[in-house]
Every structure is written in C-alpha cells, then in structure tokens.
Amino acid sequence: MPIVYTAHATSTGGRDGHGKTDDGKLDLNLSLPKEMGGDGKGVNPEQLFAVGYSACYLGAVKFVAGKEKVTIAPDSSVTAHVGVGPREDGGGFGLEVTLDVKLPGVSKAQAEDITTKAHVVCPYSHATKGNIKVTTRIV
C-alpha cells in the first residue's frame, strides 16, 4: 500500500495527560471521563476516535455518492457514538460504535446502499471490520 499521508501525534501521561500533533494543529489535555472515574475536564481518546471516524466516514459517503452521481447536501452529517467498556472475556476494554448518518434529500433505500458501500471505502471501517461492533443508522 503506497502511503500518501502520515499523521504524527505524541501523547504523554496516558488517559490523564497531554496529546499533540507534530505540526501543533492539535494540542490538548486528556482526561478520563467522569463515568470512568476521571474529572472529565479534558478530551478523551473515544471523543478523538469519534471525530476521526465520523469525518472519515462522511468523506467516504461523499466519495461513493459522487461516483453514483448522487448529490449530498452540505448539511449532511455523520455522528459517531463511541462506547468503551470491559470486554466479555475479562481481558481488558473494548469499543463499540454507532454511526448516525443524516443525508437530507436522499431516500432511505439509496442512503442505505451508499452507506454500505462507504464502509468498503472508509479506512476506519476497514480497520475496525471484524474487530469491533459498528452499527450504521440512517436518521
């Protein structure tokens, strides 16, 4: 696979620390959410994953729609709900994702077709396939 872009980020302190990208565009404090015993004042990895996945997946939706000559409205959106909790095997923690896809002006059947194809295009969907439960809902 020829790499066309590589992101570089460094975190210190784990979930209660600091993270930043090498170009300084992202520079933030990290903290555990209150639900996991933290103060919730900083950003957590699940929020970062949710932003990344939702943006990437919407890009894949737009890519598929473009190939199929379907217009995607500017107010289209994907909301990623990323849950974290203990795995059933007791060996650590796992993730679960629900993607709420809003495509105004696109029929539900066409939206379902596009979103199914977008999972093939999206690198986040490809990376998570078979690893975590991902549910897609047309809203």
Side-chain angles (χ1 to χ4, degrees):
M1 172 176 85
I3 301 296
V4 296
Y5 169 75
T6 300
H8 305 276
T10 302
S11 295
T12 57
R15 285 181 164 269
D16 283 313
H18 192 85
K20 66 180 182 176
T21 56
D22 66 333
D23 61 8
K25 291 180 181 177
L26 186 66
D27 190 339
L28 43 77
N29 292 320
L30 303 167
S31 68
L32 277 170
K34 289 182 180 181
E35 297 84 350
M36 294 177 71
D39 63 18
K41 292 181 180 178
V43 176
N44 64 66
E46 291 70 37
Q47 290 171 314
L48 295 169
F49 186 73
V51 168
Y53 199 166
S54 62
C56 187
Y57 187 71
L58 182 55
V61 166
K62 292 168 85 173
F63 177 83
V64 170
K67 289 186 103 173
E68 298 191 3
K69 309 285 190 253
V70 176
T71 300
I72 299 298
D75 60 340
S76 294
S77 64
V78 173
T79 301
H81 308 273
V82 177
V84 60
R87 294 193 320 255
E88 291 178 8
D89 66 6
F93 294 89
L95 298 174
E96 188 171 297
V97 176
T98 299
L99 299 172
D100 287 340
V101 182
K102 179 182 169 188
L103 300 176
V106 177
S107 73
K108 184 170 184 174
Q110 196 168 36
E112 287 172 348
D113 180 59
I114 290 169
T115 58
T116 297
K117 292 173 181 173
H119 278 296
V120 176
V121 173
C122 176
Y124 279 70
S125 292
H126 182 73
T128 61
K129 185 177 181 180
N131 296 313
I132 67 174
K133 180 181 176 186
V134 177
T135 304
T136 306
R137 301 185 297 199
I138 308 301
V139 295

